[in-house]
Amino acid sequence: MLFSNITNINGTNKKKIVLLPHNNPDGDALGSSLALLFYFRKLKHNVDLISPTEYSESFQWLPGSENILVFSEKTQSLIKKKIVNSDYVFFIDFNNLSRINNPYIIDFLLYSKAKKILIDHHPFPFFFDFMFSDPTVAATSILVFRFISNMNNLDKIDKEIATCLYVGLMTDTGFFRFPSVTSETHFIAGKLIDKGIDINFIYDHLQEKYNENRLKLLSKALKKLKIIKKYRTAYTSIKASDVNFYSYKQGDTEGIITYGLSIKNIVFSVFFFEEKEKYPIKISFRSKGNFDVNMFARKHFGGGGHSNAAGGISEKSLSESIEYFLNIIPYYYKNLMFSI
Ligand code: 5GP
Ligand code: MN
């Protein structure tokens, strides 16, 4: 297999490997990284999983999560040592350094002689030493499964690895409902189920362990939801004072954006989030059909993502960001009108 030829990573030679998901890692980034952590340990490599930021409470139950080294002032020098001395750094579930958004880690990467390996499903990857990239798949977890399969090591997938990969599949496909889902997605899900995972336990831990404040924050956003019928668009926002009032924790706004798309005829949903009382504003985009939010986010909000799910930022205030958005949207009238 090409990959093991290049790196000899499947061989007897023990390597120092760093797994690096994007900032605020989601279920796919963490699931893929943790699966690889377990897998490479089975191959007797020396592996570390470094998260550039904290991650949502809803993933803290994931098998192996106690091994995640979260970047902080305290862990900074250890992380520097790990990255600089590693043989391989795996970039997982992102392909652009802006998604690390941590100048220290970017600096450590520049000093590191490690081979940089990409495992990711976003379009337009930057150059890496080796790219395991396929923007057509629903989740990076699928590529991790293929990666292990290509090394003829599917027997090494145990219940823990399977649970992590299944979380990646579930979360990035919106529980197997997005158009990116194919027979391969279900084929892999089936293989993972055969490893003895507990689907009900996973669902319960992902979706039914929210704190009360998270639901109240959702209710706040839904009350503010605005519909622009003419442009088949729904948008809402959360401002910094809501964040404080509802004791926001990382991940609490996850899912708010999906409600806009559940309205008949709406094909574009946007969520503006003022996380701290400072700029930039984080903006999320979701679409249905052929309205490409990746392009939209790239062009207007310095972001990117997939054609139906993307994100970006705005340096303006919350109200100015919304105003800017409302000024742009008429230019997309035809794209929105004829989407699907
Ligand atoms: P979310 O709206 O959940 O933050 O992000 C949805 C998707 O958009 C992510 O999976 C990621 O691919 C992409 N994305 C979100 N924020 C950014 C960003 O600031 N820059 C880029 N390039 N992609 C983003
Ligand atoms: Mn992903």
Side-chain angles (χ1 to χ4, degrees):
M1 186 251 157
L2 187 63
F3 181 80
S4 49
N5 286 347
I6 289 174
T7 64
N8 191 29
I9 214 158
N10 203 14
T12 46
N13 204 346
K14 196 170 158 161
K15 301 286 184 196
K16 288 196 225 62
I17 298 174
V18 165
L19 306 170
L20 189 62
H22 54 77
N23 61 14
N24 187 15
D26 56 13
D28 189 32
L30 285 173
S32 299
S33 303
L34 285 166
L36 283 173
L37 181 85
F38 286 122
Y39 174 66
F40 283 135
R41 282 193 178 161
K42 284 192 174 188
L43 297 182
K44 308 274 183 253
H45 293 300
N46 200 325
V47 206
D48 287 290
L49 199 178
I50 294 170
S51 175
T53 65
E54 289 288 347
Y55 55 93
S56 164
E57 252 184 7
S58 15
F59 301 123
Q60 282 170 8
W61 62 274
L62 280 171
S65 60
E66 66 282 2
N67 295 291
I68 301 174
L69 200 49
V70 176
F71 183 90
S72 70
E73 240 175 70
K74 259 197 199 155
T75 57
Q76 182 179 329
S77 66
L78 178 63
I79 286 178
K80 178 178 181 179
K81 225 190 278 167
K82 301 269 186 203
I83 293 180
V84 171
N85 296 325
S86 61
D87 299 308
Y88 299 103
V89 177
F90 280 73
F91 294 72
I92 297 165
D93 198 40
F94 71 104
N95 63 20
N96 187 323
L97 289 186
S98 70
R99 298 231 45 223
I100 301 182
N101 199 17
N102 181 320
Y104 295 98
I105 293 191
I106 292 175
D107 211 38
F108 305 157
L109 286 167
L110 292 176
Y111 280 109
S112 173
K113 290 210 182 68
K115 288 251 180 296
K116 317 284 191 307
I117 297 166
L118 179 75
I119 303 196
D120 176 57
H121 67 136
H122 291 90
F124 312 125
F126 273 55
F127 183 77
F128 290 83
D129 294 307
F130 189 86
M131 298 211 269
F132 214 74
S133 158
D134 183 349
T136 68
V137 298
T140 295
S141 303
I142 291 179
L143 299 179
V144 173
F145 184 92
R146 281 189 195 164
F147 174 79
I148 297 175
S149 170
N150 286 349
M151 288 166 108
N152 274 325
N153 277 334
L154 282 185
D155 58 318
K156 295 231 170 356
I157 296 186
D158 56 15
K159 186 178 169 184
E160 284 177 323
I161 294 179
T163 299
C164 295
L165 292 178
Y166 196 79
V167 166
L169 284 187
M170 260 183 138
T171 51
D172 257 29
T173 59
F175 303 94
F176 300 99
R177 73 179 195 275
F178 294 158
S180 50
V181 171
T182 63
S183 58
E184 187 196 16
T185 323
H186 284 290
F187 172 82
I188 293 175
K191 292 284 173 205
L192 300 177
I193 291 168
D194 288 343
K195 300 286 182 177
I197 62 174
D198 185 340
I199 296 175
N200 191 250
F201 174 90
I202 295 173
Y203 183 81
D204 185 65
H205 279 70
L206 286 176
Q207 289 294 102
E208 293 174 350
K209 297 255 182 278
Y210 294 160
N211 59 51
E212 197 180 319
N213 276 331
R214 177 169 172 154
L215 252 66
K216 290 189 173 154
L217 197 66
L218 166 65
S219 131
K220 184 97 194 172
L222 292 181
K223 269 192 199 134
K224 285 201 286 186
L225 187 75
K226 301 252 184 333
I227 307 293
I228 324 174
K229 256 193 178 169
K230 185 175 170 190
Y231 302 121
R232 303 173 76 191
T233 295
Y235 69 93
T236 188
S237 60
I238 288 289
K239 51 183 194 204
S241 55
D242 302 326
V243 166
N244 296 332
F245 189 78
Y246 295 107
S247 342
Y248 166 82
K249 285 199 223 61
Q250 188 100 299
D252 278 357
T253 54
E254 217 72 45
I256 287 178
I257 193 169
T258 57
Y259 288 88
L261 283 186
S262 69
I263 300 163
K264 196 172 174 183
N265 281 328
I266 297 298
V267 293
F268 188 25
S269 176
V270 184
F271 174 56
F272 297 83
F273 182 37
E274 183 186 34
E275 183 174 351
K276 298 190 183 99
E277 292 205 48
K278 62 172 194 198
Y279 314 136
I281 304 292
K282 173 83 179 76
I283 314 173
S284 290
F285 305 99
R286 298 291 185 274
S287 69
K288 268 187 189 167
N290 51 22
F291 182 62
D292 187 340
V293 287
N294 171 36
M295 289 304 176
F296 187 87
R298 269 172 200 274
K299 183 155 182 203
H300 302 290
F301 296 99
H306 310 274
S307 69
N308 292 125
I313 52 168
S314 163
E315 303 287 342
K316 299 177 166 64
S317 71
L318 181 58
S319 59
E320 284 168 345
S321 304
I322 295 176
E323 198 183 316
Y324 174 66
F325 167 74
L326 294 176
N327 283 330
I328 301 166
I329 198 88
Y331 294 100
Y332 291 88
Y333 176 70
K334 279 192 182 155
N335 310 56
L336 292 162
M337 201 54 202
F338 300 110
S339 183
I340 299 196

